[in-house]
Amino acid sequence: MTQTNRERTYKGLRPTKAPEGSGTILEADKPLSQSLIWKLQADFYNNQGPEAWMKGIVPQYITTNPYIANLYAKTVFAYFRDLASSKEFDSNQTIYLMELAAGVGRFTYTFLKRFLHLLEHSSLRGLKFKYIITDLAERNVSYWLKHSYLKPYFESGLLDCATFDITSQEELTLRYSGEQLKKGQLRNPLILFANYTFDSLPQDTFYVNKGQLYEGLITVTSQASQAASEDKSILAGLDYYYTDRQIQGDSYYEEAALNDILLYYQGCLEDSAFSLPITALRCLHRLKELFGDDLLLISADKGYRNLQSLDKIYHPYLSKHGSISLTVNFHAMELYFQGLGGKSMHSLYEHENITMSLFLLGERSHEFMETSLAYQEIIEGIGPDDFFLMKKAMVAQHKKLTTKEILTFLRYTLWDARTFLEFYNTLLDRIAEEEDFPKEELISVIYKVWEYYFPIGEEGDMAYCLGTLLAYFGYDQDAITLFTSSIEFYGEDAAIYYEIALCYYNQQEYETALEYLDKSLLLNPEFEESNHLKGLIADYMISE
């Protein structure tokens, strides 16, 4: 790495020199990708495991709902069609799909549901593929292996998992099957998903002014006065600022491809900073070599998608949500893929929350017409960020919507569980109020919502809500299944055991009903409904 000692100060979103009384310096003038904050980041995810998502500490909804999973499924299905029509495709070899930093596994489950539906109803049925769900945190991998909803996919061979360190790992050992993926063994392209992933990985930051290129160096300080604040992120009690130091872009990195990107920005930006997703790009290089150069990457993240979006921006602001995240420079990733002969497609419009981007690499990438067509339809239509905005608007107006409009919108969301919960109380009220309530349509929606829902024990017991509705409409056996799922993910509860007992009572299975009433009363001897129902059953059995 070539550096000079010439430094300049630069005023961005954060001060570039230490403010008065700035506290203890923990590290000074480090390239951003080498900062201690990334060790804090890794420790956070390793320590939290699935609870980071169960407790809502780390956002996930916009990249895990059925709508976005369906968009990915359609794109991958089109890619499968392109592969199957290629003379170079080896149908005897497995096609691997790999998800980076999968977290709790909700996207995995929902994607497989949608993708298998497409595949099994097409001429491509029987095509060999395996989905690999990966994460750095061992606790997440253990969670997937134990999750009852993922178990059938593991057992069928369609799903496997692995710990994967994006910063360094070159090969994979799959945990369920024991299979090892090594260089030189894999024949078909890799399909890679990275949702809310690259924004949480180490990046470098640079600044261009008057044709000169500077690296942004971060200094992290300890702010004792902030330690007791409401900030619960990994940066609680810490602050940071940047200092710029002039560099030579043609020899900054060991990789010529990365230096080419630096020189490109040096030649076309003015008074602007830009970040380089260095860890993401190096990970893509390793995976490209592992899978023989052919690669399809789909990523949804907060990001810059073109050169215009980089104009007059500043060094990265570290967003806090338990962990931290930075906006991703998708335009730099596009330059990287172009340098390798690949191509990229991004969202057409500026989005508030996330940008969805597709990257294709391989000798045949220019022939992937089905993939390009499918993705073009997505980005010209309602993408995941558009969907999120529409959903918020519809939920805000839910009391003004007719019941038919609510149920229609739930179909449009592909039976999204979170949206259903937001409409739940309104639907409950209308069941009793509306003379021509569309009962059969609601029942159909209930079953679909549950089909695509992946429970993790988060706030809002979906199984209980759906179960009570099914029980109300007389679908007692299916309601029991849902109540049992509620116990699996939320633990024993006197009210849930009562609901199960009531379902068995309605089916005239009185002995089983009494078993669940006893469980309810063991947890809460004063539970009024359970005591009352137990008395009714006792009176009935005496009279018989």
Side-chain angles (χ1 to χ4, degrees), residues 5-244:
N5 292 324
R6 179 183 175 189
E7 296 188 8
R8 64 182 298 280
T9 57
Y10 162 63
K11 191 172 184 178
L13 290 178
R14 287 278 178 174
T16 59
K17 58 182 180 180
E20 294 293 332
S22 58
T24 304
I25 293 179
L26 301 181
E27 67 174 8
D29 295 337
K30 287 279 189 178
L32 181 57
S33 64
Q34 299 175 29
S35 172
L36 62 82
I37 63 175
W38 304 113
K39 172 65 165 57
L40 299 176
Q41 182 94 314
D43 289 345
F44 170 84
Y45 283 108
N46 280 320
N47 294 333
Q48 288 287 333
E51 292 185 2
W53 293 270
M54 293 176 186
K55 295 178 179 179
I57 301 172
V58 176
Q60 64 163 322
Y61 171 75
I62 197 170
T63 58
T64 62
N65 62 71
Y67 189 88
I68 191 174
N70 189 54
L71 297 182
Y72 277 55
K74 287 181 176 181
T75 305
V76 173
F77 180 71
Y79 188 72
F80 268 39
R81 292 181 58 152
D82 280 325
L83 286 179
S85 65
S86 170
K87 294 180 180 179
E88 296 91 344
F89 175 65
D90 187 350
S91 60
N92 295 316
Q93 296 290 323
T94 300
I95 305 170
Y96 288 95
L97 292 76
M98 181 176 175
E99 183 182 353
L100 296 175
V104 78
R106 175 164 284 167
F107 175 85
T108 304
Y109 178 80
T110 312
F111 172 86
L112 286 172
K113 282 279 187 180
R114 297 303 302 170
F115 183 66
L116 286 170
H117 173 77
L118 293 173
L119 202 62
E120 291 172 358
H121 292 84
S122 75
S123 60
L124 300 182
R125 183 177 183 178
L127 210 60
K128 295 172 64 176
F129 80 92
K130 179 172 287 189
Y131 193 110
I132 308 171
I133 178 174
T134 73
D135 202 283
L136 173 67
E138 171 62 31
R139 289 183 61 191
N140 291 344
V141 177
S142 298
Y143 180 78
W144 306 328
L145 288 167
K146 295 174 184 177
H147 201 293
S148 61
Y149 283 58
L150 294 177
K151 183 179 179 181
Y153 297 108
F154 282 120
E155 292 177 343
S156 69
L158 293 175
L159 178 65
D160 215 319
C161 61
T163 54
F164 184 70
D165 186 346
I166 295 175
T167 65
S168 60
Q169 201 164 330
E170 295 184 355
E171 297 180 342
L172 290 97
T173 299
L174 305 186
R175 293 286 291 277
Y176 189 84
S177 65
E179 179 184 2
Q180 291 185 323
L181 304 185
K182 297 183 177 181
K183 294 178 183 178
Q185 296 180 349
L186 306 171
R187 298 289 180 267
N188 288 324
L190 170 67
I191 300 165
L192 188 66
F193 301 146
N195 296 330
Y196 270 164
T197 299
F198 297 149
D199 69 337
S200 301
L201 298 177
Q203 303 181 24
D204 281 328
T205 183
F206 303 89
Y207 173 69
V208 177
N209 191 41
K210 297 179 180 179
Q212 299 300 315
L213 180 64
Y214 303 83
E215 64 175 338
L217 302 176
I218 191 170
T219 294
V220 179
T221 63
S222 174
Q223 303 292 320
S225 61
Q226 298 180 15
S229 71
E230 295 182 0
D231 184 358
K232 303 301 180 183
S233 74
I234 63 172
L235 294 184
L238 304 181
D239 205 348
Y240 63 95
Y241 58 90
Y242 295 103
T243 301
D244 293 339

Side-chain angles (χ1 to χ4, degrees), residues 157-403:
L158 293 175
L159 178 65
D160 215 319
C161 61
T163 54
F164 184 70
D165 186 346
I166 295 175
T167 65
S168 60
Q169 201 164 330
E170 295 184 355
E171 297 180 342
L172 290 97
T173 299
L174 305 186
R175 293 286 291 277
Y176 189 84
S177 65
E179 179 184 2
Q180 291 185 323
L181 304 185
K182 297 183 177 181
K183 294 178 183 178
Q185 296 180 349
L186 306 171
R187 298 289 180 267
N188 288 324
L190 170 67
I191 300 165
L192 188 66
F193 301 146
N195 296 330
Y196 270 164
T197 299
F198 297 149
D199 69 337
S200 301
L201 298 177
Q203 303 181 24
D204 281 328
T205 183
F206 303 89
Y207 173 69
V208 177
N209 191 41
K210 297 179 180 179
Q212 299 300 315
L213 180 64
Y214 303 83
E215 64 175 338
L217 302 176
I218 191 170
T219 294
V220 179
T221 63
S222 174
Q223 303 292 320
S225 61
Q226 298 180 15
S229 71
E230 295 182 0
D231 184 358
K232 303 301 180 183
S233 74
I234 63 172
L235 294 184
L238 304 181
D239 205 348
Y240 63 95
Y241 58 90
Y242 295 103
T243 301
D244 293 339
R245 181 163 59 194
Q246 188 175 356
I247 61 170
Q248 299 301 315
D250 59 355
S251 55
Y252 185 81
Y253 291 114
E254 294 180 359
E255 303 96 329
L258 301 182
N259 291 329
D260 288 343
I261 297 174
L262 297 184
L263 294 175
Y264 172 86
Y265 286 130
Q266 184 177 357
C268 63
L269 290 179
E270 177 57 32
D271 190 24
S272 297
F274 66 92
S275 61
L276 198 63
I278 184 68
T279 302
L281 295 177
R282 285 173 172 161
C283 175
L284 292 172
H285 175 77
R286 296 193 306 273
L287 291 174
K288 180 177 72 73
E289 293 208 330
L290 177 61
F291 285 87
D293 291 335
D294 286 313
L295 176 70
L296 168 69
L297 166 65
I298 311 176
S299 182
D301 224 318
K302 52 183 184 179
Y304 303 115
R305 61 187 176 87
N306 54 35
L307 194 59
Q308 291 72 31
S309 62
L310 295 172
D311 186 46
K312 299 299 187 294
I313 65 171
Y314 302 99
H315 288 309
Y317 176 75
L318 307 182
S319 299
K320 302 176 184 180
H321 33 71
S323 58
I324 58 169
S325 62
L326 296 72
T327 304
V328 181
N329 187 352
F330 280 127
H331 181 258
M333 295 182 66
E334 178 180 351
L335 295 175
Y336 179 78
F337 272 79
Q338 285 178 352
L340 296 172
K343 69 176 184 178
S344 308
M345 299 174 68
H346 307 288
S347 303
L348 296 181
Y349 313 106
E350 292 291 344
H351 292 293
E352 290 186 13
N353 302 283
I354 59 169
T355 292
M356 184 173 170
S357 294
L358 177 145
F359 303 89
L360 267 170
L361 188 62
E363 294 180 0
R364 303 182 302 270
S365 63
H366 63 283
E367 298 176 1
F368 282 84
M369 294 182 292
E370 296 281 355
T371 308
S372 298
L373 182 63
Y375 194 75
Q376 190 71 34
E377 182 178 352
I378 289 170
I379 62 177
E380 289 180 350
I382 303 299
D385 196 72
D386 304 308
F387 164 76
F388 184 60
L389 293 177
M390 286 181 59
K391 187 198 83 72
K392 289 196 298 183
M394 293 292 285
V395 170
Q397 299 295 318
H398 69 278
K399 291 186 178 180
K400 298 180 181 179
L401 300 176
T402 67
T403 301

